[in-house]
Amino acid sequence: VALKELAARHINSMRTVELDVQRDADIQQVAQQIQHEHSALDMLINNAGVMPDHRSLDQIPRNELQHTLDVNTVSPLMMVQSCLKILASAPSPIVLNISSQRGAFGLRQPTNRYAYCTSKAALNMVTKILAEDLQEIGGIVLAIHPGWVQTDMGGPNGDLTPEVSVREMLAFLDTVTPAHNGGFYRWDGKEHVW
């Protein structure tokens, strides 16, 4: 609902398309649509994500782990794969993977977040490998922790509003150079511990 309201306010500069990131047909259709309507894709932001309920070790169902890894890790890779041709048409394409501090090995992680933490750590590895691959087309691939944001996922007690998090990330993206390729950063552009 909020996205539709935002699109209605920006009718000339924003368009929404329905996309289930777990469906390859959807991903390929959106990539083809972008390619049909635009000469290049300057930036791809992989933002879709899920965070299952807190689970103790003895309560984790396999299908929940698989679902979380599919949405948070596999799907961003499939998005890049499907959009590679149109990304390659841009002079300096950027792929931004929305990660989390929960994917950092250098931080102590909660024991009841196996699925989420594992999926974000794996997304960070996907980012590192993609950074090598996309160098060939002049691309820059980053993982970014958006902060603890007041969203449905982050809850009402987050440190940042969505507006502040997005504003800071956009300001950082304006400064990105090839030296940032393959890095893990905070919303404010500071390097994040791996």
Side-chain angles (χ1 to χ4, degrees), residues 1-19:
V1 173
L3 185 58
K4 288 181 181 178
E5 291 172 359
L6 184 65
R9 289 198 311 267
H10 300 277
I11 196 162
N12 293 323
S13 60
M14 179 179 173
R15 190 162 68 91
T16 60
V17 293
E18 192 169 326
L19 169 63

Side-chain angles (χ1 to χ4, degrees), residues 5-188:
E5 291 172 359
L6 184 65
R9 289 198 311 267
H10 300 277
I11 196 162
N12 293 323
S13 60
M14 179 179 173
R15 190 162 68 91
T16 60
V17 293
E18 192 169 326
L19 169 63
D20 180 343
V21 295
Q22 290 188 278
R23 292 177 39 86
D24 288 341
D26 283 12
I27 291 173
Q28 290 162 6
Q29 181 179 356
V30 167
Q32 289 168 359
Q33 187 175 347
I34 294 168
Q35 191 168 358
H36 177 73
E37 296 175 7
H38 303 280
S39 60
L41 180 60
D42 297 312
M43 184 178 299
L44 172 63
I45 301 175
N46 285 309
N47 186 53
V50 294
M51 183 168 62
D53 293 334
H54 294 71
R55 302 256 189 219
S56 61
L57 180 58
D58 61 343
Q59 296 176 332
I60 303 167
R62 177 182 291 271
N63 65 341
E64 186 174 272
L65 283 166
Q66 291 171 330
H67 172 72
T68 306
L69 283 163
D70 192 30
V71 173
N72 294 358
T73 310
V74 176
S75 293
L77 181 58
M78 296 297 98
M79 286 295 302
V80 175
Q81 181 187 66
S82 290
C83 292
L84 187 57
K85 186 174 180 181
I86 190 137
L87 284 164
S89 297
S92 301
I94 294 176
V95 174
L96 181 63
N97 291 324
I98 303 298
S99 186
S100 171
Q101 66 182 355
R102 294 292 176 223
F105 282 91
L107 298 177
R108 186 171 182 272
Q109 302 298 348
T111 59
N112 56 7
R113 289 282 185 208
Y114 280 94
Y116 187 73
C117 293
T118 301
S119 72
K120 291 302 185 176
L123 179 62
N124 288 348
M125 181 57 76
V126 164
T127 300
K128 292 289 284 183
I129 297 170
L130 277 174
E132 294 293 322
D133 261 351
L134 268 64
Q135 257 184 327
E136 297 175 12
I137 62 168
I140 299 170
V141 186
L142 310 167
I144 195 163
H145 167 53
W148 182 19
V149 185
Q150 298 165 15
T151 61
D152 290 343
M153 185 182 287
N157 298 322
D159 296 329
L160 301 170
T161 64
E163 293 79 12
V164 169
S165 176
V166 169
R167 185 175 65 240
E168 294 279 327
M169 285 190 286
L170 290 175
F172 167 53
L173 287 170
D174 281 342
T175 69
V176 165
T177 71
H180 292 94
N181 191 33
F184 183 21
Y185 298 91
R186 294 174 8 138
W187 67 95
D188 57 6

